Structure formats: structure tokens, C-alpha cells
Amino acid sequence: MNLIDQWTTEQRYLPYHKWESDYVKHLLDTVNQSKWRTTFHIQPPSGLLNDPNGFSFYDGKWHLFYQAYPMGPVHGLKSWYHLTSTNLVDWKDIGLALIPDSKFDSHGVYSGSALPYNDKLFLAYTGNVRDANWNRQSFQLGALMDQNNQIEKLDQPLILPSNDYTEHFRDPQVFSYNNHYFLLLGAQDQQLKGKILTYQSDDLHNWNLLGELKFTKEDMGFMIECPNLVFTNNQVVLLFCPQGISHDKLDYQNIYPNTYVIGDNFNPTNNSLTNPSQLKNLDEGFDVYATQAFNAPDGRVLASSWIGLPEISYPSDKDGWAHLLSTVKELTIEQNQLIQRPVVEMKELRETKRTIEGTLSAQVATLAKNMEHHYELKLTIDKATTGCLTLFATDKNSGLMLHFDTQNGTMSVNRKNAGLSFAEDYGYQRDFTIDKGSLNLQIFVDVSVVEIFINDGKQVATTRVFPNETNSDILLTGQDGHFSGNIWTLRSMK
């Protein structure tokens, strides 16, 4: 039996229970044999993973869901898949949670969020419905999950489709602020412009539309997905994905960007962000989208991102699975700049440690040989230096190349020679500016994904890579400076 290569609409929307058991077994066997499977990132047991959903803390555990299609690496009949954790690094599979089994979500359970409510976890999500002519309607729905992970859907929608907006009307984020509940929703108006809508409620059941959130005067493209508003350091961060935004408004190379705006505060009275910043890219790399963040009860703002992009094919697709979630990041605002750091709990993955130190030169320095592809590298490089750090290397001309110039404040990430090629239409290299001065890197490598934290989280660059098994060295070249750091091997997720 072969995996499906060309998917029909009928196959994509076939109910899960109607799939033959032999196909499901073959799919799982194929996925388990994939050499691209990671060790400490969340990945689907089979099929497709995309947007993180319902990130929350409830009943003494962290809860994280993601949008899932388990029958293949394509977008089909979506559900929510559920995981829990006690430490943000070891995640336990609970299994499928919200599934498309009602008249308001018959053609897919789409993205949303979660919020503790009394002794339950309130889930808000988009239900996708198609009629006989395949016209779509999107309903904003609610459900309640108890301490045994049992979910009961609400009988009636929270928010009905609106004639003022098209079928692109989705991704509700619920949050509490000033003794009221609020809900942000991504939308496309009838002029085919991307908008964020704000609703208010006192009971999470009855919602009143406040209107379109005011945070910019610029055109935000044809659709805004995955809006999230979080509060930190007496300011607010609005995360969202503006599809089709002009490159004159934002410099980006990915098919769609993941972006943010910082404001002084959120003003529900006039439904606006006060003194919003310019729009900025959340990630400088190739593969981050649909980031979801929330204000955790321990005071932190925690975030997880989909490492994957809409409408892009990846080499793991042929093995019956697609995409990952990022490691959990903590968000702060420092000196009016968004900072993203790996959560401190990531240290729990560390095993053996090796110290590295030396002087940059044109001669290649081998920082590590034959590294298994799951490790953490922390590296400090002097100011006024130039050079290249190469991961997954066999020689200085192959691998994932990080070129840096600490005197002029520039960096690039190039994956052209890092293994299998994909997403060629969107380029092999990402170039961006960094702070001038010494350079600090914290890099997490996990088989087919790399997360690079730059200068203590001032910037992040995330990329999928599909290297050859023999590409396993870490090399460094440069001039005019000193380097030092540590390499840890990392254990697998328990």
C-alpha cells in the first residue's frame, strides 16, 4: 500500500472513522521510519500539524493544542490535538480533542484559544461549514473541558457569520482584562481587506462587537490571521499574521509573515492600542507562522509558534507527516523592544557539556565533529569581527551558514547547501540587521529544525533543514576576534 500522492477533496474531507485500518497502520509505520523526526519538539503522530491552539494553564498543568489533520500531510478535515505538560518541555499526548462532529463545525475545527473559567477550561474556536455548493460559513464556537479532559461543546455559536465580512472570519483569542472578557478575531471585510475585530462579554457566552481594532492606518493585506493580544511590562503586544501585506509596508520574504506591534496599552473604550509601534517581523528566519501567546498565571507571557508555512511543501511530506511546534518562548518588552527567550525550563534537557574557546581566523575551526543532530550551542563572539558559523557541515562550503558582521551589525542565514532543497520560490537566504558589538547566540538544533536566539532574544531566526546524515560538524571561520561558549547534548522529550 502506498501513501496518497494526489489528494482529492473527497479524500480530504472523509470522516476519520471511514479510513481503512490498513491505510492508517501503513501511514503510522511510514512516519515512524522517517529520518526527519525530531527529539524535543512537538510533532504530529501522523499527518499535518499547524496552528498552536488553546495554550493555557489549567488544573495544575500546561495545556497546548494544535490544529491537526491525521490522515496525511495536507490540509483536510481539521481537529484539535491535545497535549499536557508539567514543565513546558516534556509533553504528553492526550490525543484528539475537539473533532468536527456538530452542524457548526462539520467541515473542520479551526484555530482558537483557551481560558480557565470557574473549574473548567473554556475553549473558543472556529467551526468550518460547507454547503452542497462548497460555499463556506465560519462560526465562532465554544466548549468547556473538565479536569478529566472531557469536552462538552456549547449548543449555540458564540458569534455568527457577518454580512460585513467574507467567509474568512476565524481564529478567536479570548482573554480577560479589567473585569471583562474580550475576543479578538481575524477577518476579511467585503473590500477584501484584512481586519481584526474586537468583541466584549461578561460571561464568555454573549458577545458584543466593539468594532475593528485600531492599531494602524496602513493596509494590512487581504486577510489577518491568528491575532493575539498579551500584556507585559505595563505595555501590550499584538501578534498577528497579515496575509498579502505589501512589501512596501513590511520587508519580508516568506509567503506570509508573522508580525507584531507594541502599544502603551489597550483601550477598550475606543477599541484601540495607544501609541502603537511600527509593524515588525516576529522571526527573521524561514518558517515561523501563527504564533500563539498568553498571559500565564506565573506572570510570564509564553508563546509557541507553528514551524511551517501555509501553501509550502516540505521534504517530510513524503513520509506522511508535516510540521512542528516551536519550543516555548517567553516574551518580554525591554526598552520598548520585544524580547523572545527560550523558557528557563529548556535547561532540563541538557546532558553532557563541552566548553569551546578560541580565536577567529580564516582557517576553519572545528567546534564539534560528528554531532548528533540534537544539541544546544551558546556562543559569544567579540565585537568588530566578521565570520561564518556553519551547522550540519562537512566542510566550510556545506551546511546551514550563519554569516555575521558585528562591526556593521548584519547577519544572514543561508540554507542553500544544508541538504534537501524546498520552498525555492521564497529564497535560500534571510538577511537582517543586528546590534553592533559583541554577538551572543543560543541555538537549538533538533534533527530537521533550528531555532536561533540572537543577542539574548532580541531577535529569533527559525528554519527547517533536511541535511544529509553525514553533515554533522560545527565549523567557525572569521577574523579579528575571540569566541567562547558551550555545547550541550540534549535528551529527548520524555
Side-chain angles (χ1 to χ4, degrees):
M1 176 177 288
N2 295 320
L3 298 182
I4 298 170
D5 185 34
Q6 299 294 324
W7 286 76
T8 66
T9 299
E10 183 180 7
Q11 288 170 326
R12 291 172 189 258
Y13 286 87
L14 185 69
Y16 302 162
H17 70 274
K18 292 188 177 181
W19 284 87
E20 294 182 3
S21 59
D22 287 348
Y23 172 83
V24 174
K25 181 180 183 302
H26 178 63
L27 174 62
L28 291 169
D29 289 344
T30 304
V31 171
N32 289 334
Q33 294 170 20
S34 173
K35 65 180 181 180
W36 309 122
R37 298 291 279 177
T38 61
T39 63
F40 57 87
H41 281 77
I42 291 172
Q43 57 196 345
S46 64
L48 179 136
L49 166 158
N50 59 306
D51 304 5
N53 294 153
F55 198 7
S56 53
F57 186 83
Y58 164 70
D59 190 33
K61 296 185 290 291
W62 303 102
H63 294 260
L64 184 55
F65 304 79
Y66 61 78
Q67 206 173 348
Y69 178 63
M71 298 305 171
V74 296
H75 294 275
L77 187 61
K78 297 289 185 66
S79 296
W80 278 22
Y81 196 90
H82 186 194
L83 306 103
T84 63
S85 177
T86 58
N87 64 358
L88 294 171
V89 294
D90 295 303
W91 291 92
K92 177 183 178 182
D93 280 16
I94 304 301
L96 291 174
L98 285 169
I99 59 175
D101 60 1
S102 80
K103 64 180 181 180
F104 296 115
D105 61 18
S106 59
H107 289 73
V109 172
Y110 279 39
S111 291
S113 55
L115 189 70
Y117 177 67
N118 295 330
D119 62 344
K120 303 286 180 67
L121 185 65
F122 179 82
L123 309 176
Y125 67 99
T126 297
N128 196 39
V129 176
R130 299 276 187 174
D131 65 17
N133 296 316
W134 211 242
N135 297 311
R136 177 166 61 181
Q137 283 190 305
S138 297
F139 297 89
Q140 311 317 311
L141 307 176
L144 292 168
M145 187 182 79
D146 66 20
Q147 295 174 355
N148 296 316
N149 300 319
Q150 298 301 303
I151 295 174
E152 182 179 356
K153 294 180 180 179
L154 302 184
D155 291 336
Q156 297 300 317
L158 307 175
I159 299 169
L160 294 170
S162 169
N163 291 330
D164 295 326
Y165 298 91
T166 72
E167 64 185 39
H168 297 290
F169 190 71
R170 55 182 176 267
D171 307 339
Q173 184 223 1
V174 289
F175 61 94
S176 177
Y177 181 73
N178 284 354
N179 299 315
H180 295 285
Y181 297 111
F182 293 89
L183 183 151
L184 298 186
L185 195 65
Q188 180 188 71
D189 67 18
Q190 293 296 348
Q191 289 71 48
L192 307 185
K193 300 296 184 182
K195 303 292 181 180
I196 297 175
L197 307 182
T198 309
Y199 294 79
Q200 183 175 330
S201 174
D202 291 325
D203 60 6
L204 289 176
H205 294 267
N206 300 288
W207 293 91
N208 297 312
L209 176 63
L210 300 183
E212 296 173 359
L213 180 66
K214 295 182 281 292
F215 64 94
T216 182
K217 294 181 180 179
E218 301 288 354
D219 187 321
M220 288 290 105
F222 62 78
M223 174 61 186
I224 291 180
E225 293 192 310
C226 307
N228 273 249
L229 192 66
V230 290
F231 303 82
T232 180
N233 303 84
N234 297 314
Q235 292 180 280
V236 297
V237 181
L238 177 67
L239 306 168
F240 61 102
C241 298
Q243 294 187 326
I245 187 172
S246 168
H247 291 270
D248 294 335
K249 307 299 182 186
L250 181 72
D251 183 19
Y252 69 98
Q253 289 182 257
N254 297 340
I255 181 173
Y256 303 126
N258 203 160
T259 65
Y260 72 93
V261 166
I262 296 174
D264 288 343
N265 57 58
F266 167 55
N267 186 338
T269 302
N270 60 14
N271 190 26
S272 68
L273 300 190
T274 304
N275 192 28
S277 70
Q278 290 185 332
L279 184 65
K280 297 182 180 180
N281 284 307
L282 186 66
D283 192 283
E284 307 289 356
F286 297 83
D287 297 289
V288 154
Y289 195 74
T291 298
Q292 181 166 101
F294 79 107
N295 283 93
D298 62 9
R300 294 184 290 181
V301 175
L302 301 178
S304 179
S305 304
W306 173 23
I307 302 180
L309 286 170
E311 302 169 40
I312 300 293
S313 297
Y314 288 80
S316 65
D317 292 1
K318 68 178 181 60
D319 295 336
W321 69 283
H323 312 313
L324 310 160
L325 293 186
S326 73
T327 54
V328 179
K329 296 164 279 194
E330 180 181 358
L331 309 185
T332 61
I333 300 174
E334 299 174 15
Q335 298 180 337
N336 212 39
Q337 181 174 358
L338 182 67
I339 305 296
Q340 305 175 72
R341 297 187 178 100
V343 288
V344 67
E345 289 90 341
M346 287 294 292
K347 293 180 180 178
E348 296 184 27
L349 296 178
R350 292 175 178 171
E351 294 186 321
T352 60
K353 174 183 174 181
R354 184 193 316 170
T355 299
I356 51 177
E357 187 170 9
T359 301
L360 291 169
S361 73
Q363 185 174 352
V364 176
T366 302
L367 304 186
K369 285 190 68 64
N370 301 319
M371 285 292 296
E372 292 190 28
H373 292 169
H374 46 96
Y375 59 86
E376 176 187 353
L377 168 64
K378 292 191 77 171
L379 191 63
T380 299
I381 298 169
D382 278 352
K383 62 182 180 181
T385 62
T386 60
C388 180
L389 173 68
T390 305
L391 312 177
F392 305 106
T394 52
D395 56 57
K396 67 178 183 179
N397 297 315
S398 68
L400 181 69
M401 297 181 178
L402 284 64
H403 290 273
F404 56 86
D405 181 338
T406 65
Q407 181 167 357
N408 294 304
T410 62
M411 177 172 275
S412 67
V413 180
N414 187 307
R415 66 181 179 189
K416 184 175 183 179
N417 297 313
L420 296 182
S421 180
F422 63 101
E424 296 93 339
D425 290 347
Y426 302 96
Y428 298 104
Q429 182 165 306
R430 298 292 180 264
D431 301 285
F432 48 96
T433 60
I434 58 175
D435 284 351
K436 297 177 182 179
S438 62
L439 173 64
N440 296 293
L441 298 173
Q442 184 175 15
I443 301 173
F444 293 91
V445 171
D446 192 7
V447 184
S448 60
V449 62
V450 180
E451 296 184 75
I452 306 165
F453 295 84
I454 303 158
N455 290 331
D456 198 27
K458 288 184 178 179
Q459 288 158 292
V460 183
T462 304
T463 179
R464 294 300 304 277
V465 286
F466 297 87
N468 298 320
E469 294 177 3
T470 56
N471 291 33
S472 57
D473 296 345
I474 306 173
L475 307 180
L476 182 63
T477 59
Q479 61 181 13
D480 302 329
H482 177 265
F483 68 86
S484 62
N486 296 298
I487 303 174
W488 290 268
T489 60
L490 300 180
R491 66 167 173 83
S492 299
M493 184 189 301
K494 294 179 180 178

